[in-house]
């Protein structure tokens, strides 16, 4: 790809980007949130039409008018958004668009069989091909998307942040697949914000910044991480977790969870969080961590147990009560659970607080904008224009907006589910620093993350969850990654 | 129904089909050009269609009439607006077939107060001051005629099963027809044992009749309020292969009359509900606007009310009515 | 509109989810959404049917519980049933079709004009059938083109079609009922095979084909994808526009078939035929368990939905109920049914 | 239904996006969705209005372009206008209300029963107004409760209400039209202030309050949030259920006000009043630019939508077109308008 330019109304998303991918290589695409990675690969996949520039496929210039055209040519893509159809079964989703059919009549058994194979190849034979995708977790949906990409025998497979919703185990599984593909001479474009993954799997790297290529085809081997980061961010970022944990400021717990359980999803959990303390929930995807904090928050109706904030018990299954008593939740699936996609950024940020700004039910949008603006700049939201429609923000920036909401709200207990999912290194560091800052101010934080070292780095205490059971609780200092994984494995197979 | 009493009709009102049996008399001489506004219900249905067409044709007969036909509507709010428009435009006379008489009384009164004579057709206003002249279809009388005919036919069978297929049940006129029907049946000790309501459409008539015939395994007589839906009613009867009863129609459409004429149909009679009312209305409106009287009356002024007669058409007199009947 | 019914029992479970979409999203709901239109729902609909049949039998005895009566019910269900099957595809694809009723009216008129009937007389009555299908298909195609390529929101596009088709029908027919003269047509479509009326067979055939098309073919699966997540469908390489266009055309063809059936029943074409059928059809489809927002549908549910409607009406007629009382009862039954199904579903979940 | 119109010019831009939801999702569209109901749209609607007025003036001269004629248009627009404003809230919140028309009918009946009018005679005509408001509000509340807490999908819940309310109105009134005897009521509501009819004032006031409520209050913001993403709203601590309930109640109250206005116009209550108003209202709202899927709405758009409808009808009547021809023309105009606006919008985008 040469000199690709993509202009959206109001934005010049891509401004002369070059990308050269060789067969049989894993080409990593790096860049901050909003750098233009997704836009670039969408252009490559035929989902967007470039405003300028040319795409060469095996030498000759091609025009990719649609994803169908791209697929026909042998370019398969795993898009960043979970673009699956809830109403269809796993198998049907995998073969959507190139159904196995004779004269329009589906070959169901064959589809299921091949789906089973693909899923097995991805190490997820537990997902039945007949299951409705709507009932899968975010991770499950991601797996389905990967299977779909594999289902076309493509010469180029593009993966836009596939690891975002996956945990270590699954990422390793994915890498095994990628390696076999590479050995088979398939070219792969791999996008991720986790640099260590790049090290693991990448051959060459292209770095984007503000829609321009700042570096093309660097060899992974001889490019230090620090260099990459400075290329991406244009500055140096320290990737410690915003300094050491501050630790609890007082002994009286602000959040007390006692025997909380949701029958069928997770068994009773009991723990408490003190002001300024960070409690991390580690575990594999599907372990039920989200469910635990969603239930704690009242978003799901607990079948047993109590939750107390500052000694006051919360009404079961009442989010309103939880919010009023000072809890905030940044949910896992920001698009479906967090954002009003067609509303301006500031209205998304003040979604939980606009009533507070209002006088006698009359809104004060000026104050709202101001507050939103403040957080947007603090989090270096790109672009910082809070009037913009949040739909047009890049994935990572949308995540920042979600955090901004609760920062504006301000709360005693903050529940973060995958807060750094899809967030670039720079923003990541900011978010870590932010969490530190919050704890310093005495906020209690419950953190769910699939990146174990993130949990270990941020949390004072760690709870390891497997199959809806808490298999271990203890100080972060007394446990390391391998230990966690072992626990998870045992738990899972116990 | 052209040659019906009372008087005005004897000027041979044209059939809905429009071909006019030319009106004699000084009144047809060209006078000052007058604008007449007409507003009626939505013309989706044969009878109303005939009404509207009849009015149009009648107006076309006179070069001294400029006719303003507003969109037929079943929304009284819209119909009120149409009358208001006519008032604003200062038409010389207004002919109204209100979707609901009471609902248009106020605006009609406004028109009268504005000095525009209003001719009320078919569905009566709730105030005598709302119209200069009323050409009244007789819905109650229609029911009575149908009831009486059935009584004669079922002479002496006190346990006879009589069924009724009404039109749109929420319309006052349907209520009047049913009331008259029940009244007349009562006089000979009969009553309606099964009643269903359709919607004046062929499909509706067919559908409710199919159900009715199932619900009543044995019937002696049926009155169907409306010959438009009658087509569907007959289809259902034929489909069920039933013929133990006789049927009386309503409104008096040409194809029902042909059924009657044929003699081998379950349809023995139909109660005419003149579709020429609006045509008469237009004619009277013109006279009023031109300050003419009704030549066939000794008294000069156009009368306040003309109540149309609802005759029963049977095999004996069908030839007389068929020519001027409307095609449903 | 008038029609609506106990059917909803049927889909309480689903209604929840649909509604949850506009109301509140609970994990329970998610789970159910996941569960999809499974047995639970079908059971619900069947329960509703059985309940109605019991009521009918108790109140109207064997006058109700008789083969001829059920044939009448099926005959009445047939027309709206065929339309509803087409509408199921449209709604599942995320659209809506308000024009079915008036297009059916137009088709009945066009198929019975003096010209058409003459032609039919000279050649064969099939001409009338083809005319009806052509009119329906063409109208559907136009809807589809407007929605897919004209990018007119389907509510507006089909609303325009509704108004225009009705007007056109009135102009062509001069607002007069056009009686069918061709015996061949009537004999064929009003006849029966093995004691089952022709149009009931037609309904059955359309239903089976519809079911197969919906559940066993690429077309059906893509319809769900287009309705459930157009962006995903597009990225998967599906030509969303073209598909949308075909879905509306399909619905139009169903309307054409329905027009032939209503012609057989009424033996006459009329511009007023089919008015308000759109609401009956949409109600049957939604009550049957198809998501109004698109992405999920069920042909079986639609068929059951239509049947419950008809049986309810039939029971009312059998008991010679006053039409107003019928209306109130209907409203109450709908709600009661859904709420009951709520509980039912909730209990099942625990 | 009959009504529909050039308005769509108005919202072409928006229609696109809405439709794209069912059709294809292009970045362009996204961008537009992003753009929101900005000036572009309003301009579109205004252009449509101006176009119509020009046509009216050219064809009907000063018979059309006169103050009294515009007062007629406004008077006619007032009733459906007030209803549409309530419906705008419901649709924006992600629901739909099919019951507005028949509930209005029920309200007119209840407010004019012998009993009510007696009471009004003894005390004050305000009793009749309060009755209408109470009936509307109660019906709306029931809808709201069913949708929010009963979790009945709003299409079904309000469909049931439609059927039941109509039936109840017929039962109460014995299907007779109930004439208003109370002079006070008529004098007040049929009177005018500064030459502007009372009900036009009422429309204006409701519109202004509605606009303020929608754009400047937490209630409006919640409505948008609930319609845009109920789950997100819930997790942000908004009581989605309670709010949904209030939105439907608000719509009901608007219906109550509309009932008072139509009573003033017709001087009589009737069970058939308001039939099919639901479709007119929804059409006006959607054409005005409110997303049928919820999450975004515009009061100004709705008002303009209603006006364009009425002006179109008025122009037709002025030229005394045959009603069938009118229908066809309307259909064509709607589509032409939207398509035109398409182009318009696209050009603007470049
Ligand atoms: N449909 C759109 N309309 C307008 N602007 C858009 C649209 N899609 C993306 N953009 C803009 O283009 C830029 C690049 O977005 P893109 O999603 O490619 O970033 P990214 O590199 O994928 O970020 P992330 O790592 O967070 O996914 C961003 O500034 C974004 O706001
Ligand atoms: N909408 C849903 N319907 C049915 N089951 C679900 C749904 N969402 C999640 N689950 C199931 O609940 C369990 C926990 O899901 P989830 O993925 O949220 O756990 P988790 O520990 O939060 O994983 P992660 O947060 O890393 O995605 C999994 O078995 C998942 O399949
Ligand atoms: Mg991206
Ligand atoms: Mg989770």
């Amino acid at each position: 790809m040469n000199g690709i330019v993509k202009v959206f109304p109001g934005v010049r998303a891509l401004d002369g980007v070059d990308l050269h991918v060789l067969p049989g290589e894993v080409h990593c695409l790096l860049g901050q949130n909003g750098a233009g990675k997704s836009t670039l690969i969408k252009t490559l996949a035929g989902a967007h039409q470039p405003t300028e520039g040319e795409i060469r496929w095996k030498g000759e210039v091609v025009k990719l008018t649609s994803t169908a055209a791209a697929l026909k040519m042998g370019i398969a893509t795993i898009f960043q958004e979970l673009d699956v159809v809830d109403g269809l079964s796993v198998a049907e989703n995998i073969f959507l668009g190139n159904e196995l059919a004779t004269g329009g009549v589906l070959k169901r058994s064959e589809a299921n069989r091949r789906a089973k194979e693909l899923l097995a190849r991805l190490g997820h034979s537990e997902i039945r091909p007949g299951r409705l995708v709507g009932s899968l977790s975010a991770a499950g949906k991601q797996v389905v998307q990967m299977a779909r990409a594999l289902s076309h025998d493509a010469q180029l497979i593009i993966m836009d942040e596939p690891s975002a919703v996956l945990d270590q185990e699954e990422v390793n599984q994915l890498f095994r697949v990628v390696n076999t593909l590479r050995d088979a001479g398939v070219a792969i474009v791999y996008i991720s914000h986790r640099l260590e993954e790049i090290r693991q799997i990448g051959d060459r790297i292209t770095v984007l910044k503000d829609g321009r290529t700042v570096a093309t085809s660097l060899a992974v081997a001889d490019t230090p991480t620090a260099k990459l980061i400075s290329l991406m961010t244009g500055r140096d970022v320290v990737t410690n977790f915003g300094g050491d944990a501050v630790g609890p400021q007082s002994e009286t717990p602000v959040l007390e969870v006692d025997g909380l359980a949701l029958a069928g999803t997770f068994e009773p959990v009991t723990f408490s969080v003190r002001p300024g303390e960070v409690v991390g929930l580690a575990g594999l995807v599907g372990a039920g961590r989200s469910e635990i904090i969603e239930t704690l928050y009242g978003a799901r109706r607990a079948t047993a147990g109590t939750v107390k904030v500052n000694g006051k018990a919360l009404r079961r299954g009442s989010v309103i009560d939880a919010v009023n008593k000072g809890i905030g939740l940044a949910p896992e699936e920001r698009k479906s659970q967090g954002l009003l996609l067609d509303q301006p950024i500031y209205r998304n940020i003040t979604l939980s607080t606009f009533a507070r700004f209002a006088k006698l039910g009359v809104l004060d949008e000026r104050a709202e904008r101001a507050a939103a603006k403040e957080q947007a700049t603090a989090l270096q939201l790109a672009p910082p224009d809070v009037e913009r429609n949040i739909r047009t923000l890049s994935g990572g920036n949308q995540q920042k907006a979600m955090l901004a909401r609760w920062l504006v709200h301000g709360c005693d207990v903050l529940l973060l589910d995958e807060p750094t999912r899809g967030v670039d290194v720079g923003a990541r560091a900011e978010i870590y620093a932010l969490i530190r800052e919050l704890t310093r101010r005495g906020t209690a934080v419950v953190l769910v993350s699939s990146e174990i070292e993130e949990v270990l780095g941020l949390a004072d205490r760690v709870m390891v969850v497997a199959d809806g059971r808490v298999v271990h609780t203890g100080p972060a200092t007394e446990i390391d990654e391998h230990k966690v994984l072992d626990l998870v494995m045992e738990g899972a197979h116990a | 129904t052209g040659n019906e009493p009372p008087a005005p009709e004897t000027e041979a009102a044209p059939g809905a089909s429009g071909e006019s049996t030319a009106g004699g008399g000084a009144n047809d001489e060209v006078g000052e050009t007058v604008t007449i506004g007409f507003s009626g219900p939505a013309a989706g249905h044969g009878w109303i269609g005939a009404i509207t067409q009849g009015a149009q044709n009648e107006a076309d007969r006179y070069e001294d009439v400029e006719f303003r036909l507003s969109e037929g509507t079943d929304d009284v709010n819209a119909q009120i607006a149409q009358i208001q428009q006519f008032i604003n435009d200062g038409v010389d006379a207004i002919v109204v077939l209100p979707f609901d008489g009471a609902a248009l009384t106020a605006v009609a009164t406004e028109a009268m107060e504005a000095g525009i004579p209003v001719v009320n057709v078919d569905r009566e206003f709730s105030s005598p001051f709302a119209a200069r002249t009323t050409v009244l279809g007789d819905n109650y009388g229609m029911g009575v005629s149908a009831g009486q005919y059935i009584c004669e036919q079922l002479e002496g069978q006190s346990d006879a099963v009589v069924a009724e297929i009404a039109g749109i049940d929420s319309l006052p006129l349907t209520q009047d027809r049913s009331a008259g029907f029940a009244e007349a049946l009562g006089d000979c000790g009969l009553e309606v044992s099964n009643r269903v309501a359709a919607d004046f459409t062929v499909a509706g008539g067919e559908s409710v009749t199919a159900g009715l015939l199932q619900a009543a395994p044995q019937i002696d007589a049926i009155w169907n309020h409306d010959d438009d839906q009658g087509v569907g009613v007959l289809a259902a009867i034929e489909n069920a292969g039933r013929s133990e009863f006789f049927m009386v129609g309503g409104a008096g459409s040409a194809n029902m009359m042909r059924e009657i004429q044929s003699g081998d149909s379950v349809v023995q009679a139909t109660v005419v509900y003149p579709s020429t009312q609006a045509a008469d209305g237009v004619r009277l409106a013109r006279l009023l606007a031109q300050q003419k009287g009704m030549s066939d009356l000794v008294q000069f002024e156009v009368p306040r009310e003309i109540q149309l007669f609802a005759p029963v058409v049977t095999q004996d007199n069908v030839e007389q009515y068929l020519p001027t009947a409307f095609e449903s | 509109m008038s029609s609506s019914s106990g059917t909803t029992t049927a889909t309480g479970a689903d209604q929840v989810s649909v509604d949850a979409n506009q109301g509140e999203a609970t994990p329970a709901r998610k789970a159910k959404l996941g569960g999809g239109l499974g047995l639970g729902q079908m059971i619900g609909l069947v329960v509703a049917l059985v309940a109605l049949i019991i009521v009918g039998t108790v109140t109207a005895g064997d006058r109700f519980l008789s083969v001829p009566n059920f044939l009448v019910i099926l005959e009445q269900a047939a027309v709206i049933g065929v339309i509803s099957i087409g509408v199921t595809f449209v709604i599942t694809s995320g659209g809506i079709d308000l024009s079915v009723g008036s297009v059916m009216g137009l088709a009945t008129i066009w198929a019975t004009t003096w010209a058409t009937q003459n032609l039919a007389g000279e050649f064969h009555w099939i001409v009338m059938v083809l005319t009806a299908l052509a009119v329906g298909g063409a109208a559907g195609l136009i809807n589809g083109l407007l929605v897919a390529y004209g990018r007119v929101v389907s509510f507006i596009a089909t609303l325009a079609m509704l108004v225009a088709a009705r007007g056109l029908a009135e102009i062509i027919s001069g607002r007069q009922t056009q009686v069918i003269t061709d015996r061949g047509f009537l004999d064929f479509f009003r006849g029966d095979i093995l004691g089952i009326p022709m149009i009931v067979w037609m309904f059955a055939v359309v239903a089976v084909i519809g079911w197969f098309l919906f559940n066993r073919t690429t077309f059906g699966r893509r319809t769900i994808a287009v309705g459930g997540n157009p962006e995903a469908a597009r990225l998967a390489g599906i030509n969303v526009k073209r598909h949308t266009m075909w879905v509306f055309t399909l619905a139009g063809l169903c309307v054409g078939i329905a027009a032939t059936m209503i012609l057989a029943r009424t033996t006459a074409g009329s511009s007023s035929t089919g008015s308000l059928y759109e609401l009956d059809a949409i109600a049957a489809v939604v009550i049957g368990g198809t998501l109004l927002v698109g992405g999920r549908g069920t042909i079986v549910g639609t068929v059951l939905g239509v049947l419950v409607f008809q049986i309810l009406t039939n029971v009312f007629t059998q008991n010679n109920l006053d039409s107003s009382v019928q209306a109130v009862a209907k409203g109450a039954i709908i709600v009661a049914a859904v709420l009951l199904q709520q509980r039912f579903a909730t209990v099942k979940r625990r």
Side-chain angles (χ1 to χ4, degrees), chain B residues 43 67-72 74-78 80-82 84-85 88-89 99-100 102-107 110 126 169-172 175-176:
Chain B
F67 194 57
R68 298 272 312 282
L69 177 67
S70 55
E71 176 183 21
D74 289 351
D75 172 7
V76 287
N77 186 32
I80 288 170
Q82 291 171 350
Q84 288 178 317
Q85 247 169 290
N88 288 343
D89 306 348
F99 177 76
D100 177 341
L104 270 89
T105 304
V107 72
E110 283 173 19
S126 57
D169 229 355
S170 58
L171 294 181
Q175 299 312 304
D176 297 347

Side-chain angles (χ1 to χ4, degrees), chain C residues 192-332:
Chain C
D192 50 16
I193 302 173
L194 315 172
I196 310 285
M198 191 59 183
I199 70 170
V200 175
W201 282 112
M202 293 171 74
F203 178 27
V205 172
V206 172
V208 170
I209 295 178
W211 180 88
F212 185 83
L213 197 62
F214 193 89
N215 297 294
R216 291 279 179 273
T217 68
T218 331
F219 185 86
R221 301 292 95 184
R222 290 184 173 189
T223 304
I224 294 177
V226 167
N229 188 343
E231 180 68 1
R234 192 173 71 91
L235 294 177
I238 294 174
N239 187 333
V240 174
K241 291 188 175 195
R242 196 181 338 119
H243 192 84
T244 307
M245 181 186 79
W246 287 128
V247 168
F248 277 90
T249 312
L250 176 71
L253 286 173
C254 289
V255 171
I257 299 172
T260 320
M261 293 161 71
I262 195 91
L263 276 176
R265 271 176 80 69
T266 59
T267 69
S270 156
S271 55
S272 63
T273 297
S275 56
L276 292 185
Y277 274 36
E278 56 276 4
L279 278 167
D280 285 354
I282 297 172
V285 171
V286 174
I287 279 171
T290 297
L291 293 197
L292 202 51
V293 293
R296 283 273 171 61
T298 157
I299 297 291
V300 179
T302 298
V303 172
L304 291 176
V306 172
L307 287 181
V308 178
F309 268 41
Q310 291 304 338
I311 295 182
L312 186 69
T313 319
N314 183 273
V315 171
F316 281 147
T317 314
Q318 294 285 8
N319 295 296
N320 189 22
L321 227 62
D322 169 82
S323 61
S324 311
V325 182
Q326 281 192 30
V328 178
K330 265 182 190 170

Side-chain angles (χ1 to χ4, degrees), chain B residues 43-44 46 49 169 193-196 201-203 206-208 210-212 214-215 217 228 231 235 238-239 255 327-328, chain C residues 63 66 68-69 72 75-76 170 175-177 179 183 190 262 265-268 270-273 277 317-318 320 323:
Chain B
D169 229 355
S193 38
N194 289 72
R195 184 180 186 280
V196 290
T201 72
V202 175
E206 195 279 340
S207 175
V208 296
L212 170 72
Q214 257 317 308
D228 279 292
V231 177
E238 186 193 324
N239 199 32
N255 45 3
E327 291 292 343
S328 75
Chain C
R63 211 173 350 85
S66 65
N69 187 44
V72 168
E75 274 193 281
Q76 283 176 311
E170 286 176 8
R175 299 203 189 92
Q176 297 191 347
T177 311
V179 179
R183 287 311 312 169
R190 287 174 73 81
I262 195 91
R265 271 176 80 69
T266 59
T267 69
S270 156
S271 55
S272 63
T273 297
Y277 274 36
T317 314
Q318 294 285 8
N320 189 22
S323 61

Side-chain angles (χ1 to χ4, degrees), chain C residues 10 38-48 344:
Chain C
L39 263 163
Q41 169 145 16
M42 290 309 135
I43 291 172
L45 276 159
V46 175
V47 168
F344 183 57

Side-chain angles (χ1 to χ4, degrees), chain A residues 131 135 137 284-291 332 417-418 450, chain C residues 30:
Chain A
R131 183 172 175 185
S135 70
S137 65
L284 299 186
V285 168
R289 297 160 300 167
S290 297
E291 281 67 11
E332 175 179 13
D417 196 349
E418 311 282 1
S450 300
Chain C
K30 275 200 194 165

Side-chain angles (χ1 to χ4, degrees), chain A residues 42 46-48 67-68 71 79 82-88 92 96-99 101 104-106 108 132 134-135 148 294 299-301 337, chain C residues 24-27 30-31 33-37 212 215-219 221-222 224-226 228-229 231-238 295-296:
Chain A
K42 275 188 181 160
H48 285 342
T67 43
L71 283 168
F79 293 97
L82 296 172
D83 280 317
V84 289
V85 181
D86 285 353
L88 292 177
E92 288 166 340
L96 186 63
N98 69 328
E99 294 83 355
V105 180
L106 299 167
R108 283 151 56 85
L132 271 181
S135 70
R148 181 190 291 166
E294 282 173 16
R300 300 172 180 233
R301 207 165 195 297
Q337 298 180 293
Chain C
E24 174 166 339
T26 70
K30 275 200 194 165
L33 254 179
L37 313 162
F212 185 83
N215 297 294
R216 291 279 179 273
T217 68
T218 331
F219 185 86
R221 301 292 95 184
R222 290 184 173 189
I224 294 177
V226 167
N229 188 343
E231 180 68 1
R234 192 173 71 91
L235 294 177
I238 294 174
R296 283 273 171 61

Side-chain angles (χ1 to χ4, degrees), chain A residues 371-381 384 400 407 430-431 434:
Chain A
K373 192 95 192 149
E374 183 186 334
Q375 294 303 334
T377 28
L379 294 174
Q380 300 181 358
L381 200 70
K400 291 192 206 166
L407 296 181
E430 288 149 20
I431 290 173
L434 200 86

Side-chain angles (χ1 to χ4, degrees), chain B residues 18-281:
Chain B
E19 96 293 341
S20 158
T21 41
N27 278 343
D28 277 0
E29 288 159 17
V30 178
E32 57 171 310
T33 299
V34 291
T35 310
I36 298 177
F38 177 81
S39 167
H45 151 267
W47 187 82
I48 298 278
I51 278 279
T52 320
Q53 203 54 51
Q56 181 74 61
N57 297 338
E58 185 62 17
D60 296 347
R61 285 184 56 234
Y62 301 100
E63 58 268 35
D64 59 3
V65 169
E66 191 200 314
F67 194 57
R68 298 272 312 282
L69 177 67
S70 55
E71 176 183 21
T73 174
D74 289 351
D75 172 7
V76 287
N77 186 32
Q79 207 175 4
I80 288 170
Q82 291 171 350
I83 309 299
Q84 288 178 317
Q85 247 169 290
F86 289 146
I87 300 174
N88 288 343
D89 306 348
V91 297
D92 303 299
I94 302 175
V95 181
V96 194
L97 198 172
F99 177 76
D100 177 341
L104 270 89
T105 304
V107 72
T109 315
E110 283 173 19
M112 292 289 284
E113 284 162 358
I116 303 172
V118 175
V119 179
N120 177 198
V121 175
D122 184 26
R123 306 176 191 174
E124 197 172 14
F125 292 143
S126 57
S127 151
F129 310 110
R132 165 64 180 77
T133 302
T134 304
V135 181
L136 203 55
D138 186 0
N139 285 298
Y140 186 86
M142 212 180 147
V144 172
S145 304
Q148 284 168 343
Y149 178 82
I150 288 175
C151 281
E152 295 163 15
Q153 299 301 308
L154 297 179
E155 194 64 75
Q157 308 176 35
S158 55
D159 57 352
V161 179
V162 179
E164 182 183 5
I165 302 172
I168 296 174
D169 229 355
S170 58
L171 294 181
L173 70 91
T174 301
Q175 299 312 304
D176 297 347
R177 292 178 182 184
S178 292
F181 188 56
E183 172 81 38
L185 286 183
D187 290 350
C188 64
L190 289 175
E191 61 169 17
V192 177
S193 38
N194 289 72
R195 184 180 186 280
V196 290
D199 56 2
F200 287 147
T201 72
V202 175
E206 195 279 340
S207 175
V208 296
T209 310
L212 170 72
L213 294 176
Q214 257 317 308
Q218 206 288 329
I219 302 177
D220 296 298
I222 296 181
W223 182 41
N224 168 40
H225 283 211
D226 177 75
D227 287 346
D228 279 292
Q229 65 190 32
V231 177
V233 171
L234 282 179
I237 293 173
E238 186 193 324
N239 199 32
R242 297 271 292 268
S243 59
E244 79 277 9
F245 52 79
F246 68 92
M247 177 170 129
V248 178
S253 76
N255 45 3
M256 277 307 142
M257 292 197 188
R258 281 190 283 272
E259 288 284 338
I260 296 170
Q261 204 170 21
S262 73
D264 53 16
S265 163
V266 292
V267 188
Q268 277 186 16
T270 183
V271 186
V272 171
Y273 193 71
S275 65
T276 50
Q277 309 180 27
D280 292 329

